[in-house]
Amino acid sequence: MDEFNPYAAPEALPPPLANSSPDNSTCWRDGDELLALPHSDLPRYCVKCGKPALEYRQRKFYWHSPWMYLLILLHFLVYLIAALAVRKTAVHNVGLCSAHRKRRLNFMLMAWCSVVPLFGCFLFDSGWVVGLGILMFLAMLLWGLIGMQILKPRKIDVNLAVYRGVSTAFLARLPRYPYRRD
Ligand SMILES: [Zn+2]
């Protein structure tokens, strides 16, 4: 009998995804994202290129919902206090090769040097020089801060930390995430 029967039992669904890792992995790839348990160490490779890491250091990452930024409209201090209270933290040992470590130091240097045009411009008694100095300060600061980021947290909760900004060569070393994501 191959007629359509609306009362037939539905076809079996695939078994639900397990809650525990069968191979004890603590970090995975999912598309272009790196997923890790929030207090696990990453493999000892550079996250920016996948080569063996020269530097392997413990680093903290913070995340809060992007909606929190709306509080800046009220007051920056309101945002700051709320963000510090609700932000989620993840801690990992993260590797960088010598080239990417050096590149990161250059971005940090640029962020620090952004104060030079900021203070320098006030030596001139000219509105447009001050404006240019402040613009250069903001550009160098943002460029430096964004460039020095090792991992870009996309979401962190008590179970899982999700990052972007990781090279595909590094991700290729990780197992595929075997569980269902919310
Ligand atoms: Zn590298």
Side-chain angles (χ1 to χ4, degrees), residues 45-83:
Y45 295 99
C46 175
V47 289
K48 297 294 183 192
C49 67
K51 291 183 182 153
L54 174 85
E55 180 188 81
Y56 189 61
R57 278 181 53 180
Q58 191 179 75
R59 299 188 184 276
K60 274 189 180 182
F61 299 90
Y62 301 101
W63 179 86
H64 63 63
S65 161
W67 290 102
M68 296 285 296
Y69 289 118
L70 287 177
L71 291 175
I72 296 178
L73 298 176
L74 287 178
H75 196 286
F76 184 74
L77 271 182
V78 174
Y79 158 74
L80 193 65
I81 293 166

Side-chain angles (χ1 to χ4, degrees), residues 16-157:
L17 297 167
N19 284 323
S20 59
S21 175
D23 57 357
N24 294 324
S25 295
T26 55
C27 52
W28 305 267
R29 65 188 155 87
D30 189 14
D32 63 347
E33 292 180 330
L34 162 68
L35 282 61
L37 298 183
H39 292 85
S40 62
D41 293 335
L42 304 185
R44 220 183 169 93
Y45 295 99
C46 175
V47 289
K48 297 294 183 192
C49 67
K51 291 183 182 153
L54 174 85
E55 180 188 81
Y56 189 61
R57 278 181 53 180
Q58 191 179 75
R59 299 188 184 276
K60 274 189 180 182
F61 299 90
Y62 301 101
W63 179 86
H64 63 63
S65 161
W67 290 102
M68 296 285 296
Y69 289 118
L70 287 177
L71 291 175
I72 296 178
L73 298 176
L74 287 178
H75 196 286
F76 184 74
L77 271 182
V78 174
Y79 158 74
L80 193 65
I81 293 166
L84 288 176
V86 305
R87 69 180 179 173
K88 300 286 188 294
T89 309
V91 184
H92 313 285
N93 270 318
V94 181
L96 283 178
C97 70
S98 63
H100 281 104
R101 182 169 169 269
K102 197 171 161 197
R103 198 176 133 93
R104 181 166 186 268
L105 290 177
N106 287 340
F107 279 116
M108 286 169 82
L109 190 68
M110 168 134 59
W112 278 109
C113 288
S114 65
V115 294
V116 174
L118 179 67
F119 291 117
C121 68
F122 288 106
L123 298 175
F124 298 87
D125 187 19
S126 159
W128 74 267
V129 176
V130 171
L132 190 68
I134 292 172
L135 267 182
M136 275 185 71
F137 158 71
L138 288 174
M140 287 172 69
L141 183 68
L142 280 179
W143 196 3
L145 288 179
I146 291 170
M148 66 183 268
Q149 273 193 310
I150 295 177
L151 300 173
K152 298 181 177 120
R154 212 176 80 72
K155 189 177 183 188
I156 296 174
D157 61 27

